[in-house]
Amino acid sequence: MKKNNQLIILFLALFSINACTSTEPAIIEISEDMVINESGSGDMMAWFDEQDLDSTPTTRWSTESMITFWPAGLVINLGRKYKITEVWIYDGPKENRVEGGRLILASGTPFEWSNFKPVDLQNSNTWSKIDWTAETQFIQLQKNATKQFNLQAEYPQNCDLAINEIILFGYPLEKKMPEKSQTEHVAFNIPMDQFIGMNSYIHTPDKVHEAVGNVREYRPWRWNGVTDLETPIDWGDINNSGARNEYASASLGNSDVYYKKMKDMGIECVPCIHRHVDEWREHENIPSFGGDPDDPFSYKIMADYSFQFVARYGGSSVPERLLRTTEVSPKKSGLGYIRYFENWNEPNRWWGNPEGHFTPYQFAAFSSASYDGHLNQMGEGFGAKNADPEIRFVFGGLAAISLHYVQAMKLWSDYHRDGSFPSDVINLHHYCNTRNEQHPKEDAYGISPEEDNLKEKLENVVNWRNENLPGKEVWLSEFGWDTDENTYQSAAWGHKLYPGKITMEEIQGQWLTRAYLVGAAAGLDRMMMFLANDLKNYPHGVYGTCGFITVNEEYKPSWYYVKTLKNALAGMVFLDELPSENDNVWIYRFKNLQNGKGAYVLWCPTSDGTVVEDYELKITGNTPVVKKTMLIHKNETGINEDLKLTSGTIRLDVSERPVIVLVDRF
């Protein structure tokens, strides 16, 4: 009997192997987790969503037309080696800004491609078979533009390719690889009074900081940076005389004093280095100083500055021989004023001069240099981590919730850094509006975080982090709404009661507090609204009135609301969402993990003035004290009152402005 069982097992094993290596070609199903978008632009799965040669596909992977997005490639990881027998593409018709182009197929290993097959498109509006075979686990499909439009513009743009679908035929040559065990992500549990933040400059009035627990401080590189590796850095008083920075005043003060003040105030200050060091000529351009932008060594000067900055303001003392400053001995290091350092701002920008755009691979190389001198290959004195191993390195905030861009950065890191990702924080920006873009142009307007499905968008990134980069934080370091009805990010037309029965300032206050709440529920680790103050003499309009305070330092409702929310939820982290049995009421619970105190936050996720009167809230646990905190303009602590607990429930009115119910314990 034992021998028969062994024969059965052997037969099943052979059958399994044969089943895995069937030589009958079939359509290879391509799922989103198999594809890396090398440009970080557009919905690449539009090439794999209509896999039927008998139909006419209608969707198309569109790539930004800025020339620095091109060539635009996809990397497909089939998970095991396949025999590719043929490829079909749907060569779509010529359309506005869609014409011509070349598709290049390649196989092999990422960054070491071979077996190239170029295919020139004819815009024939038909299926076309490509004679190309390969034995490979990885495939690269690369779009190359052959035509441009708006040739008279300052920055001509590329025409996209009219490929509507790609179908791969083949069969596996290997058994499916077992999934690798993954380290489980452990939540950082950053309490809400530290979670809530804002973007700011060194000259922001101290009082504004009372509403937040962290600050993303814009720090133009030119204030201290140099264009070589020998000139000593002057860390003394900085000023803005003659600079093209419309956000800051002429006299800025002393950085040592500023960072110490932030620490003494209990503010987590995150310097965000942005703008080219040679701002007069290069402004936001990539600071490669003429080197290959794909090579980490082109960014040695930024790696040097990252080291020097963190050596001074981070928490570790550095040998004086490595400090390149104008100070006489003893030179300062390890001041302990900062725990985070951000190396750029919006590297994936798709507007303005194309020279200001990093591809995902270029930004991964840039970050690798400023993170640790590209795995310490640059030697002593390069990279933030080599100045302070405990510094939390933040890659420059992306101008979108662009998970594709982050995935491409990770692919580069997998093959150029042995899988070590050069950032401790996944850092994103997002502005809620009707076109889901940071610069959607004037036909858009701001909408609420709930209407924008902000929580679901952020959860997608958090879930990916949990599976692929556990141990990294996820930030939304820019979001907000203008209090100017004339901009496309205005807190105005997205509310049905504007302008007759509600002000933009009230809408902004409601939406900011609600955005912090949904961000915490999505699993973010920090959020920073844009910007602390409205911008005086700001020439661009949009984003110029997103502040907590006006140019005359008048405090808007948003400052009072956010300050009250921050203080009421101090020490607490998001716990869970409770069912309300009413579509117009959302309920989140927060809890202090040390003392057990908690809070319910309730609001209507609408933008039409909805009020749910006399709502019955069931209070869980045995708590003797229940208090209500209401957010009130010109009241820094809100209105607080005791509530009567009857049979484990309380009754209260719920509106679009969140209300906080505090309890001694759950």
Side-chain angles (χ1 to χ4, degrees):
M1 187 68 178
K2 183 176 181 181
K3 185 175 181 180
N4 289 338
N5 288 341
Q6 290 175 336
L7 289 173
I8 292 171
I9 292 171
L10 178 61
F11 172 78
L12 291 174
L14 290 171
F15 177 81
S16 176
I17 292 172
N18 289 332
C20 289
T21 56
S22 169
T23 58
E24 185 68 31
I27 293 176
I28 302 172
E29 183 178 350
I30 306 299
S31 58
E32 188 165 1
D33 61 338
M34 298 166 62
V35 185
I36 300 293
N37 184 335
E38 294 184 288
S39 72
S41 172
D43 179 13
M44 73 280 189
M45 295 309 295
W47 269 7
F48 310 106
D49 62 345
E50 299 171 280
Q51 302 274 286
D52 184 357
L53 290 172
D54 293 325
S55 68
T56 301
T58 58
T59 60
R60 179 172 58 83
W61 169 37
S62 300
T63 303
E64 283 287 340
S65 52
M66 179 188 283
I67 59 174
T68 47
F69 282 88
W70 294 80
L74 299 181
V75 174
I76 302 173
N77 182 355
L78 298 172
R80 50 180 163 164
K81 184 176 286 188
Y82 269 74
K83 173 70 175 183
I84 307 301
T85 57
E86 60 188 75
V87 179
W88 288 79
I89 68 170
Y90 192 87
D91 184 3
K94 183 191 305 184
E95 300 174 9
N96 181 36
R97 302 183 179 183
V98 178
E99 180 180 0
R102 170 178 288 182
L103 175 71
I104 299 179
L105 294 82
S107 61
T109 303
F111 308 102
E112 296 180 0
W113 299 110
S114 59
N115 190 23
F116 296 99
K117 174 70 174 183
V119 180
D120 290 316
L121 301 189
Q122 307 300 319
N123 297 122
S124 60
N125 201 25
T126 59
W127 283 103
S128 176
K129 180 181 177 183
I130 301 173
D131 294 322
W132 182 73
T133 62
E135 293 185 2
T136 185
Q137 177 179 335
F138 297 95
I139 296 172
Q140 184 190 51
L141 304 173
Q142 189 183 80
K143 294 195 295 186
N144 290 257
T146 56
K147 296 181 181 295
Q148 290 186 320
F149 62 93
N150 71 339
L151 295 177
Q152 306 307 314
E154 183 178 6
Y155 307 119
Q157 296 174 294
N158 284 335
C159 288
D160 208 340
L161 276 63
I163 296 176
N164 287 4
E165 195 75 7
I166 296 181
I167 299 179
L168 304 174
F169 280 85
Y171 53 85
L173 299 173
E174 300 174 331
K175 289 193 292 184
K176 192 171 184 179
M177 302 289 187
E179 292 187 7
K180 294 181 180 180
S181 60
Q182 178 66 58
T183 303
E184 185 176 352
H185 177 75
V186 178
F188 290 98
N189 287 329
I190 297 172
M192 289 298 288
D193 51 316
Q194 299 174 33
F195 172 89
I196 292 172
M198 68 183 181
N199 287 261
S200 179
Y201 276 92
I202 189 174
H203 62 282
T204 298
D206 289 352
K207 185 176 178 60
V208 183
H209 295 86
E210 295 175 9
V212 299
N214 73 78
V215 160
R216 179 174 182 255
E217 181 233 357
Y218 290 110
R219 168 73 42 159
W221 188 4
R222 67 175 296 277
W223 288 355
N224 296 117
V226 292
T227 56
D228 59 60
L229 300 175
E230 291 80 33
T231 304
I233 297 175
D234 183 358
W235 296 104
D237 290 348
I238 55 176
N239 64 71
N240 197 42
S241 57
R244 297 194 308 169
N245 180 1
E246 63 272 1
Y247 310 141
S249 59
S251 177
L252 297 172
N254 184 283
S255 299
D256 290 5
V257 173
Y258 171 72
Y259 290 126
K260 183 178 186 302
K261 179 180 71 173
M262 290 293 100
K263 183 177 181 181
D264 291 345
M265 291 171 62
I267 301 294
E268 187 80 75
C269 190
V270 183
C272 170
I273 309 304
H274 73 133
R275 300 174 183 249
H276 196 288
V277 65
D278 187 6
E279 188 180 340
W280 279 110
R281 294 189 305 112
E282 304 294 342
H283 201 42
E284 304 276 6
N285 291 2
I286 298 174
S288 59
F289 298 98
D292 178 0
D294 290 290
D295 183 358
F297 280 79
S298 298
Y299 307 109
K300 284 189 72 173
I301 296 177
M302 182 56 176
D304 164 77
Y305 184 51
S306 301
F307 177 91
Q308 296 294 330
F309 199 101
V310 173
R312 187 174 188 85
Y313 297 116
S316 297
S317 295
V318 172
E320 188 167 298
R321 63 182 175 79
L322 296 177
L323 300 176
R324 191 165 50 79
T325 80
T326 57
E327 287 180 317
V328 297
S329 185
K331 300 176 185 290
K332 295 178 183 177
S333 74
L335 292 173
Y337 296 159
I338 65 171
R339 297 192 308 138
Y340 291 87
F341 174 84
E342 184 177 350
N343 70 334
W344 204 247
N345 181 56
E346 300 188 336
N348 62 329
R349 55 192 294 125
W350 57 87
W351 60 91
N353 188 343
E355 295 301 318
H357 172 82
F358 288 85
T359 70
Y361 296 158
Q362 289 168 353
F363 192 58
F366 178 80
S367 296
S368 185
S370 51
Y371 181 78
D372 60 5
H374 189 50
L375 294 172
N376 303 316
Q377 293 178 22
M378 295 178 183
E380 281 190 314
F382 293 95
K385 287 286 188 178
N386 290 322
D388 179 2
E390 300 302 316
I391 200 75
R392 299 288 289 174
F393 188 91
V394 186
F395 72 58
L398 301 180
I401 301 178
S402 184
L403 186 53
H404 295 328
Y405 195 99
V406 181
Q407 291 168 334
M409 289 179 65
K410 184 179 184 302
L411 181 69
W412 186 95
S413 303
D414 288 344
Y415 284 87
H416 292 87
R417 292 181 52 90
D418 299 323
S420 168
F421 191 74
S423 183
D424 298 305
V425 178
I426 298 169
N427 188 17
L428 309 171
H429 299 168
H430 181 70
Y431 291 87
C432 302
N433 57 58
T434 51
R435 290 192 60 191
N436 194 36
E437 293 181 8
Q438 185 158 318
H439 290 284
K441 303 300 171 60
E442 298 302 335
D443 58 346
Y445 55 85
I447 56 176
S448 73
E450 299 89 355
E451 184 177 348
D452 191 44
N453 296 314
L454 179 62
K455 181 172 179 283
E456 291 77 8
K457 292 174 180 176
L458 297 173
E459 283 177 327
N460 186 42
V461 178
V462 170
N463 291 336
W464 182 87
R465 181 275 311 273
N466 294 347
E467 295 179 8
N468 297 277
L469 287 173
K472 307 298 184 184
E473 297 182 42
V474 180
W475 292 4
L476 187 66
S477 65
E478 278 192 31
F479 71 99
W481 292 268
D482 276 317
T483 52
D484 175 0
E485 68 175 28
N486 297 308
T487 83
Y488 50 75
Q489 196 53 38
S490 173
W493 308 112
H495 199 289
K496 293 182 179 179
L497 297 186
Y498 182 82
K501 297 181 180 179
I502 194 170
T503 67
M504 285 179 292
E505 289 76 14
E506 173 64 22
I507 301 168
Q508 181 209 33
Q510 292 181 8
W511 289 357
L512 280 176
T513 52
R514 285 153 52 175
Y516 284 118
L517 293 167
V518 299
L524 294 185
D525 298 293
R526 294 190 192 272
M527 289 179 70
M528 296 87 159
M529 60 81 73
F530 184 90
L531 176 69
N533 53 279
D534 289 354
L535 302 172
K536 192 173 185 178
N537 301 320
Y538 183 69
H540 307 301
V542 68
Y543 306 122
T545 58
C546 282
F548 278 140
I549 62 174
T550 69
V551 293
N552 298 318
E553 296 192 11
E554 297 171 346
Y555 286 72
K556 301 179 187 178
S558 58
W559 183 82
Y560 292 95
Y561 297 174
V562 173
K563 180 180 179 182
T564 301
L565 182 75
K566 170 218 168 190
N567 290 335
L569 301 181
M572 300 184 194
V573 298
F574 175 78
L575 183 62
D576 55 21
E577 179 175 2
L578 295 183
S580 69
E581 299 182 0
N582 185 325
D583 290 342
N584 287 330
V585 176
W586 284 15
I587 308 171
Y588 287 175
R589 290 198 305 171
F590 294 80
K591 184 175 183 178
N592 188 311
L593 300 180
Q594 277 67 51
N595 61 26
K597 292 187 176 183
Y600 299 80
V601 184
L602 301 85
W603 75 97
C604 299
T606 54
S607 295
D608 58 9
T610 294
V611 175
V612 177
E613 297 180 344
D614 202 32
Y615 179 78
E616 183 177 274
L617 174 66
K618 181 175 178 57
I619 302 296
T620 59
N622 181 21
T623 179
V625 179
V626 181
K627 294 180 179 291
K628 179 175 71 173
T629 298
M630 294 180 290
L631 315 180
I632 302 295
H633 183 37
K634 296 188 177 180
N635 188 317
E636 297 186 25
T637 60
I639 292 180
N640 301 278
E641 63 180 59
D642 293 335
L643 293 177
K644 184 178 180 181
L645 190 62
T646 305
S647 300
T649 64
I650 60 169
R651 308 191 78 90
L652 72 167
D653 293 343
V654 182
S655 71
E656 293 172 350
R657 189 191 305 173
V659 59
I660 304 163
V661 176
L662 299 168
V663 297
D664 269 1
R665 57 182 173 270
F666 285 130

